[in-house]
Amino acid sequence: MASLFNQRIGKLLPVALVLILIFTAFGGASAQDQVNLRMTVWDLATTPYWQALVDAYTAQNPNVTIELVDIASAEYQNVVNVMLSGGDDVDVITVKDIPGYSGMLTRGQIIPLNDYIKTANIDLSLYSGAAEELTYEGSIYALPFRSDIWILYYNKAIFDAASLPYPTNDMTWTEFEALARKLTTGSGADKIYGAHFHTWRSTVQLPTVQDGKNIVIAEDYSFMAPTYNMVTSMQHDGIIMDYGELKAGNIHYSGPFKNGQVAMLPMGSWFIGSLIAAQNKGEFDFPWGIATYPHPDGVKAGTTAGTLTSLAINKASKNQDAAFRFIQFYSSVEGAKVLASLGNLPAIRTPEVLEVFAAVSGVPAEAQTALQTTTVRLELPMHPNVGSYEQILNEEHELIMTGSVSVEDGIAEINRRVAELPK
Amino acid sequence: MSILSLKPTNTHPSKRRSQFTKLAIAYSFILPNLIGFLIFTLIPMVFSLILAFMNWDGANQISWAGLENFSQMLRDETFRISLGNTIAFVALNVPLTMAASLGLALLLNQPLRGRNFFRTTFFFPYVASLVAVAVVWNMLFFPSAGPVNSVLSMLGVQNPPRWSASVDWAMLTVVMASVWRGMGYYMIIYLAALQNIPTILYEAAAVDGADTWQKFRYITLPMLTPATFFISVMLTIASFKVFDLVMVMTGGGPGRATNVLVIHIFNTAFKEFRFGYASSIAMVLFVMVIGITVIQFYMERRWVNYQ
Amino acid sequence: MERLLTLSFLSTSITLRSLFKFKMGKLLTYAALIILAFFMLLPFLWMVSASLKLDKDVFRFPIEWIPSKPEWSNYTTIWTRIPFMTFFGNSLKLTVIITLLQLCTSSFAAYAFAKLKFPGRDWLFLAYVGSIAIPWQVYMVPQFILMRQFDLVDSHLSLILLQAFSAFGVFLLRQFFVSIPDDILDAARIDGMSEYGIFFRIMLPLSKPALATLTIFTSVAVWNDFMGPLIYLNSQNLKTIQLGLRMFIQQYGADYALIMAAALVSLIPVIALFLLLQRFFVEGIASTGVKG
């Protein structure tokens, strides 16, 4: 019985695949008919732009209906993987992060878009480098629509109390550390911390790849030592909150910042919207500002790191042509304006789009200059084995930051474990 | 006669019934469950165990791998670490939870005022949100200002442990949380089992002049053995499969200090897309658990009292 | 009285010791219980406290147990931010159906495993127990593929079929049935009662504590199940309460105050069920008058 089942599945998978291919070959032909597209998204209840963009598109294309499949954000990629393994024919897949993208791409579950892009004559340079980051072996499998960059948030009240000038858009990490040490005052429950590093690996590792000489997929990670030395010494001196306690207490970065416990917070631009909402609700009342992400010595100001949210088409989709027309709209200048008007940073950041963003009520006045970037590097680059690298880096980051191993030993351990990964 | 044979039930008085009728009656009881169980659980399960000898990325053609997955396991450092962590968790969690739940059940089987309140209370950690459990536990053991470490420093401990933020203490912290969360659950099974002990046994023992300890040792404990057997098997299996609690408390960290087998299986399947290899690790887990269960079945014949 | 004597091995026996010592023992028992109860209730108290805070204060240390400005509005927000009522109804429907089906199928099978002799019984039972040993994470993809073949994905029926036939329930009830003396059953057989008659008229009435136990365990498991609904339910109108709770956890931050408020509301049916079924734990053979 059991082996029979195994044979059946073993035979069914390729058969199903062939059937799907045949369907897709014929399915794309009838463009003007009524089409129903399904699209996987997360946080539908709390993220207004999903529905807003769908409404904007279906208003122009009444023959298309779009069904949003909402998946719990923390489990999003796992559920999408199960759906795709099960042969689900959902049409549009929102790509949440690079490990998810690289996984679906290397396993052939999403289709290359080069031909579509050529036919539709899309100018990829609009995405200021993001399209190149998504290109793998000459092919691009997703179009970016949202892009967040890392910036520096600061509490103006703390700076005013200390009579120190606000951070500028051209600040090195060395200057950042010196400033943080000056801003740290008090003790116990009233203590003010000069800066805050959230528990994510990226908060420490992003500055190490800002110069563009290294990426986090490497063989020798000694380039990470200077930043780790800086952060662990700040932690040792009580300039930033203790990593182990942040982790044990499950403390989200928004709490300490909104409670006025930290002066400077390097964080992604997604936090702008959440801060504005909290301030409007009266959760806190101090003035805050944003500046460009600090940069290493000898690197141009405005160099930062970012994340991409993009759209891909399922290989098993029966409406690939219609799906492409939809994602083309989603990632266009027109779509970007809808996104920006709702307080999110689109992947296309032309002056006209940024203007829409800056006009959103509550966005700090510094936004237009602080959000101007010269170079944006991806947090994680495209690599077939990126998941394994990320796992190792996360684990060793935790060991270094909890003081379980020294910076030197931790980095040696990363080098050793990475060398053992299948190439 | 299989080696797993349980203690046979008494011979039926009506011996005239044919074997066939008996079999038909027995299966009429089992089939409603068996059919559903077979289709929806056993078949996918067997399929996934067969995957242990295959390579599959969850998308493309399945290919034969033979024993390659198992030989790879020998070189897999994270597998060794998570296996050791899992065994440590089982070895600590099973006896501690059993002792605690039996103690609670005996305590709450007495005619005490507010008994219902206490029973509900002790079951509470099991139904409470896992996030709340993790937060409260981590708060009690908070490194700098937590109540536990405050008491320890008052007692003169120089460098109190950093608990879940420390490689050496994280596993113990998780075990304590697990015992605390699970003891009310298993207490319920013991409580239900205690109701099944006929009072006549105690009455007879009282006539014979047995004292409290003797009654516990020679009546309560033997009569509880089916429940104890069930709890020991279920608890061992559940401990080998521990996942959720570790994920919310430590996420397997710091580093790999609390990485257990199911976390490794999950990462292998869903982060690295090596479903075949994940299945082979599950196979090792399965063989270990079955081995221990068979030993427990053997022990059951020696110490379980069914009458 | 007998139960008191045998089980109070922590306190002392009344018959032989002085009344004073007895009272001391009781006092110590209560003191221990109250301290234990306090530690058990801590997560509950934290949930109540967190549910009345602003989100930024939820994880602030040291914990402010009684919020100075309680945010009662959290309890109204949860009903408007997400379709909480629909989710509540779906969870209730699934829990009731699955629990009833599991009680039926499990008790039936458990009776055969405990009290009937037939070839292959022990191997089949081992397969049941063994199946519990395999982590669900391993076979959830094959199970999902199978469900897609049956075209049951995105329906409540898929979850019902997956959870109604549990090996756990069979194992639990078998262990209880086994401890019911065979003499009672044999006496009934001699009187000409069929196996079905014995099952319905003797086994089930004698197994109320066990059935109550399984009811509680199954209901709690289904009510709190997250991974099953996560994978099998896509449509918003089919989703359950646990998926609803996760909707307050977003990509870049979570409303833990709302989560805790919603979690507390979702606990009410579970606690009510527990209180309702509690009485069965004091009513077993000991008090139903059947003494073998």
Side-chain angles (χ1 to χ4, degrees):
Chain A
M1 188 78 185
S3 62
L4 193 86
F5 173 76
N6 178 36
Q7 282 178 2
R8 257 193 68 197
I9 286 288
K11 279 180 189 158
L12 268 176
L13 280 177
V15 171
L17 221 65
V18 169
L19 279 178
I20 287 159
L21 283 175
I22 294 169
F23 274 123
T24 39
F26 290 100
S30 47
Q32 285 313 308
D33 296 346
Q34 194 66 31
V35 189
N36 181 45
L37 294 176
R38 284 167 70 231
M39 172 185 182
T40 56
V41 301
W42 59 89
D43 298 343
L44 181 60
T46 46
T47 313
Y49 64 73
W50 298 122
Q51 194 60 50
L53 278 158
V54 164
D55 292 344
Y57 184 71
T58 48
Q60 295 171 14
N61 300 273
N63 65 320
V64 182
T65 51
I66 291 152
E67 185 190 328
L68 296 176
V69 178
D70 180 37
I71 297 168
S73 125
E75 302 289 339
Y76 176 78
Q77 195 59 49
N78 294 335
V79 175
V80 167
N81 288 341
V82 173
M83 284 170 72
L84 294 181
S85 291
D88 199 298
D89 60 358
V90 63
D91 305 286
V92 178
I93 300 166
T94 314
V95 181
K96 196 169 171 223
D97 52 25
I98 293 297
Y101 178 64
S102 115
M104 291 188 291
L105 181 163
T106 48
R107 288 177 302 146
Q109 291 169 321
I110 50 180
I111 58 165
L113 303 176
N114 298 44
D115 292 345
Y116 282 115
I117 290 169
K118 205 185 279 171
T119 316
N121 209 6
I122 297 171
D123 178 11
L124 289 179
S125 67
L126 273 176
Y127 302 110
S128 50
E132 284 69 40
E133 301 274 16
L134 289 173
T135 303
Y136 181 66
E137 292 179 349
S139 298
I140 180 164
Y141 293 77
L143 281 182
F145 70 95
R146 179 175 176 179
S147 165
D148 282 293
I149 51 167
W150 282 73
I151 52 177
L152 184 70
Y153 295 82
Y154 57 91
N155 181 328
K156 290 184 175 171
I158 297 176
F159 277 86
D160 294 344
S163 311
L164 286 166
Y166 299 147
T168 65
N169 289 332
D170 182 5
M171 180 164 73
T172 65
W173 284 108
T174 320
E175 289 162 355
F176 168 84
E177 184 190 357
L179 194 53
R181 286 179 184 275
K182 277 188 230 160
L183 287 159
T184 305
T185 52
S187 64
D190 301 323
K191 178 161 180 176
I192 304 256
Y193 293 85
H196 188 79
F197 280 86
H198 189 53
T199 51
W200 295 331
R201 171 188 63 78
S202 46
T203 59
V204 184
Q205 295 189 355
L206 286 182
T208 69
V209 294
Q210 256 176 302
D211 60 7
K213 288 180 195 139
N214 297 288
I215 54 171
V216 292
I217 306 285
E219 281 174 17
D220 179 8
Y221 285 83
S222 48
F223 65 88
M224 288 188 173
T227 311
Y228 268 110
N229 284 330
M230 175 188 91
V231 178
T232 49
S233 108
M234 285 171 84
Q235 172 168 278
H236 178 264
D237 298 339
I239 310 298
I240 57 176
M241 288 184 178
D242 181 76
Y243 175 92
E245 302 207 330
L246 291 176
K247 196 92 184 171
N250 196 11
I251 298 168
H252 189 256
Y253 52 83
S254 62
F257 189 78
K258 290 180 194 166
N259 281 324
Q261 290 170 288
V262 298
M264 294 186 287
L265 169 70
M267 190 40 68
S269 52
W270 56 79
F271 191 43
I272 296 176
S274 141
L275 271 181
I276 294 171
Q279 199 167 24
N280 291 342
K281 248 176 77 184
E283 277 193 36
F284 66 92
D285 54 11
F286 58 83
W288 55 282
I290 54 175
T292 308
Y293 199 51
H295 57 89
D297 296 300
V299 174
K300 222 169 22 162
T303 306
T304 184
T307 58
L308 288 176
T309 316
S310 45
L311 296 167
I313 297 174
N314 184 4
K315 190 177 185 179
S317 158
K318 297 184 184 92
N319 308 302
Q320 294 182 341
D321 294 347
F324 183 78
R325 283 191 294 276
F326 175 60
I327 71 173
Q328 185 188 343
F329 169 81
Y330 222 105
S331 47
S332 67
V333 174
E334 205 180 342
K337 282 182 186 164
V338 177
L339 204 63
S341 70
L342 292 165
N344 304 99
L345 270 189
I348 297 179
R349 280 201 288 272
T350 55
E352 52 168 339
V353 173
L354 274 186
E355 214 167 281
V356 176
F357 181 80
V360 176
S361 89
V363 171
E366 306 88 352
Q368 254 177 326
T369 48
L371 291 174
Q372 265 172 17
T373 51
T374 50
T375 316
V376 180
R377 306 198 188 283
L378 266 195
E379 281 190 21
L380 277 170
M382 241 320 287
H383 188 277
N385 218 356
V386 64
S388 308
Y389 279 89
E390 199 190 13
Q391 186 77 22
I392 294 173
L393 290 171
N394 282 339
E395 287 166 0
E396 299 302 327
H397 170 74
E398 205 168 48
L399 290 176
I400 295 174
M401 291 307 294
T402 52
S404 308
V405 297
S406 67
V407 172
E408 203 176 304
D409 292 351
I411 285 171
E413 188 66 5
I414 300 176
N415 291 344
R416 185 188 66 79
R417 290 181 62 189
V418 161
E420 284 172 13
L421 282 179
K423 283 290 165 294
Chain B
M1 190 79 188
S2 82
I3 51 151
L4 302 159
S5 161
L6 309 170
K7 189 174 186 239
T9 46
N10 285 2
T11 43
H12 296 182
S14 52
K15 287 167 190 157
R16 301 282 78 86
R17 274 189 290 179
S18 74
Q19 278 307 112
F20 179 76
T21 327
K22 274 169 106 178
L23 194 67
I25 290 176
Y27 271 95
S28 72
F29 274 100
I30 290 186
L31 277 180
N33 191 288
L34 186 61
I35 293 173
F37 175 70
L38 205 68
I39 298 175
F40 298 111
T41 305
L42 215 53
I43 290 178
M45 219 173 245
V46 169
F47 175 73
S48 76
L49 286 184
I50 293 170
L51 269 186
F53 305 97
M54 311 280 173
N55 287 322
W56 189 42
D57 64 0
N60 298 302
Q61 194 74 41
I62 300 175
S63 65
W64 178 253
L67 294 174
E68 198 186 294
N69 286 331
F70 292 92
S71 65
Q72 195 164 36
M73 222 178 284
L74 299 174
R75 301 189 300 271
D76 182 353
E77 188 184 68
T78 307
F79 169 73
R80 280 201 302 277
I81 292 172
S82 61
L83 180 66
N85 287 339
T86 307
I87 291 171
F89 182 83
V90 172
L92 288 169
N93 189 47
V94 174
L96 287 175
T97 308
M98 284 185 75
S101 54
L102 178 60
L104 282 184
L106 292 171
L107 208 59
L108 289 180
N109 201 41
Q110 302 175 76
L112 294 166
R113 226 179 270 264
R115 188 170 61 174
N116 286 358
F117 167 76
F118 287 120
R119 285 179 178 174
T120 316
T121 306
F122 293 167
F123 186 58
F124 198 83
Y126 191 78
V127 291
S129 133
L130 207 56
V131 176
V133 169
V135 166
V136 169
W137 198 256
N138 278 330
M139 178 212 74
L140 289 175
F141 288 85
F142 204 62
S144 64
V148 172
N149 276 2
S150 302
V151 170
L152 283 179
S153 7
M154 257 168 23
L155 294 174
V157 178
Q158 287 300 322
N159 284 310
R162 288 177 60 79
W163 304 109
S164 65
S166 138
V167 172
D168 301 321
W169 292 89
M171 185 48 97
L172 194 68
T173 315
V174 174
V175 168
M176 286 190 293
S178 165
V179 172
W180 175 71
R181 178 163 185 258
M183 64 186 180
Y185 183 82
Y186 294 102
M187 169 196 81
I188 290 184
I189 300 175
Y190 269 129
L191 270 177
L194 282 171
Q195 311 316 316
N196 269 14
I197 304 178
T199 31
I200 192 166
L201 295 177
Y202 294 121
E203 285 158 15
V207 170
D208 293 344
D211 65 22
T212 310
W213 167 249
Q214 283 171 327
K215 283 180 190 163
F216 173 72
R217 173 69 189 80
Y218 295 106
I219 300 174
T220 313
L221 214 50
M223 289 303 288
L224 281 181
T225 40
T228 306
F229 172 67
F230 172 79
I231 293 175
S232 70
V233 170
M234 287 312 299
L235 192 55
T236 308
I237 294 177
S239 305
F240 268 110
K241 290 202 303 183
V242 65
F243 179 71
D244 292 355
L245 184 69
V246 185
M247 282 310 273
V248 297
M249 279 195 69
T250 62
R256 287 175 285 183
T258 52
N259 192 321
V260 286
L261 277 178
V262 179
I263 293 184
H264 188 42
I265 289 173
F266 187 81
N267 286 341
T268 309
F270 289 95
K271 295 240 161 73
E272 297 173 18
F273 312 112
R274 293 155 73 200
F275 285 91
Y277 186 50
S279 282
S280 70
I281 301 173
M283 180 83 112
V284 170
L285 185 71
F286 176 71
V287 168
M288 276 194 314
V289 175
I290 284 295
I292 290 171
T293 309
V294 169
I295 293 170
Q296 282 169 317
F297 269 106
Y298 258 119
M299 302 275 286
E300 185 201 25
R301 292 167 80 189
R302 288 186 47 202
W303 52 259
V304 170
N305 181 307
Y306 280 145
Q307 286 297 322
Chain C
M1 186 55 81
E2 285 80 20
R3 280 212 311 280
L4 170 73
L5 286 182
T6 46
L7 301 171
S8 56
F9 73 103
L10 289 178
S11 64
T12 41
S13 145
I14 326 170
T15 42
L16 301 172
R17 313 295 163 102
S18 73
L19 200 64
F20 173 73
K21 271 192 172 169
F22 165 72
K23 279 197 166 164
M24 277 303 287
K26 275 264 164 177
L27 214 65
L28 282 176
T29 309
Y30 276 115
L33 281 176
I34 288 168
I35 293 172
L36 268 172
F38 173 73
F39 277 103
M40 294 295 165
L41 278 182
L42 268 181
F44 178 73
L45 298 176
W46 184 83
M47 285 167 80
V48 174
S49 158
S51 74
L52 294 173
K53 287 181 183 172
L54 285 173
D55 194 55
K56 69 186 169 93
D57 296 320
V58 167
F59 291 105
R60 194 172 187 177
F61 280 81
I63 292 178
E64 186 192 21
W65 285 94
I66 301 167
S68 50
K69 261 176 52 196
E71 289 284 319
W72 296 105
S73 63
N74 286 343
Y75 281 89
T76 51
T77 310
I78 54 171
W79 299 92
T80 51
R81 182 80 60 90
I82 60 170
F84 200 59
M85 203 66 208
T86 313
F87 298 160
F88 209 93
N90 287 334
S91 280
L92 208 61
K93 172 188 162 193
L94 283 173
T95 305
V96 170
I97 294 177
I98 292 172
T99 307
L100 286 178
L101 278 174
Q102 225 192 77
L103 278 175
C104 293
T105 66
S106 300
S107 61
F108 251 63
Y111 179 69
F113 281 125
K115 295 296 180 190
L116 299 176
K117 270 172 78 179
F118 58 93
R121 180 183 74 171
D122 297 338
W123 284 108
L124 197 55
F125 186 62
L126 190 74
Y128 265 80
V129 178
S131 77
I132 306 174
I134 300 179
W136 187 62
Q137 287 86 345
V138 175
Y139 61 90
M140 73 183 197
V141 171
Q143 209 174 42
F144 183 82
I145 296 174
L146 189 77
M147 276 295 173
R148 268 194 66 81
Q149 302 288 330
F150 291 133
D151 204 17
L152 287 175
V153 172
D154 203 22
S155 72
H156 283 163
L157 190 59
S158 61
L159 289 174
I160 293 171
L161 289 174
L162 287 185
Q163 298 177 344
F165 315 99
S166 103
F168 173 85
V170 174
F171 189 17
L172 177 81
L173 291 181
R174 177 205 176 258
Q175 291 313 103
F176 278 99
F177 288 175
V178 142
S179 67
I180 288 173
D182 282 340
D183 307 347
I184 307 176
L185 311 189
D186 285 339
R189 283 182 188 123
I190 288 167
D191 290 346
M193 201 185 264
S194 74
E195 293 296 338
Y196 305 105
I198 294 174
F199 174 75
F200 282 110
R201 276 185 263 158
I202 299 178
M203 281 314 253
L204 286 190
L206 285 181
S207 309
K208 278 185 204 155
L211 296 173
T213 308
L214 184 61
T215 308
I216 290 177
F217 285 3
T218 307
S219 314
V220 171
V222 177
W223 188 262
N224 286 342
D225 186 20
F226 167 64
M227 287 303 276
L230 174 73
I231 288 172
Y232 284 99
L233 303 178
N234 292 332
S235 305
Q236 207 74 353
N237 62 331
L238 291 180
K239 288 186 174 174
T240 64
I241 222 162
Q242 294 302 321
L243 292 177
L245 289 184
R246 298 310 198 286
M247 287 180 186
F248 296 119
I249 302 181
Q250 298 119 41
Q251 190 179 8
Y252 297 117
D255 276 311
Y256 275 100
L258 294 180
I259 294 170
M260 288 307 148
L264 278 174
V265 173
S266 77
L267 268 184
I268 294 170
V270 177
I271 301 291
L273 181 78
F274 189 83
L275 290 174
L276 198 73
L277 293 177
Q278 255 229 100
R279 62 194 180 92
F280 290 112
F281 299 132
V282 287
E283 256 181 35
I285 287 185
S287 52
T288 46
V290 183
K291 290 181 180 174

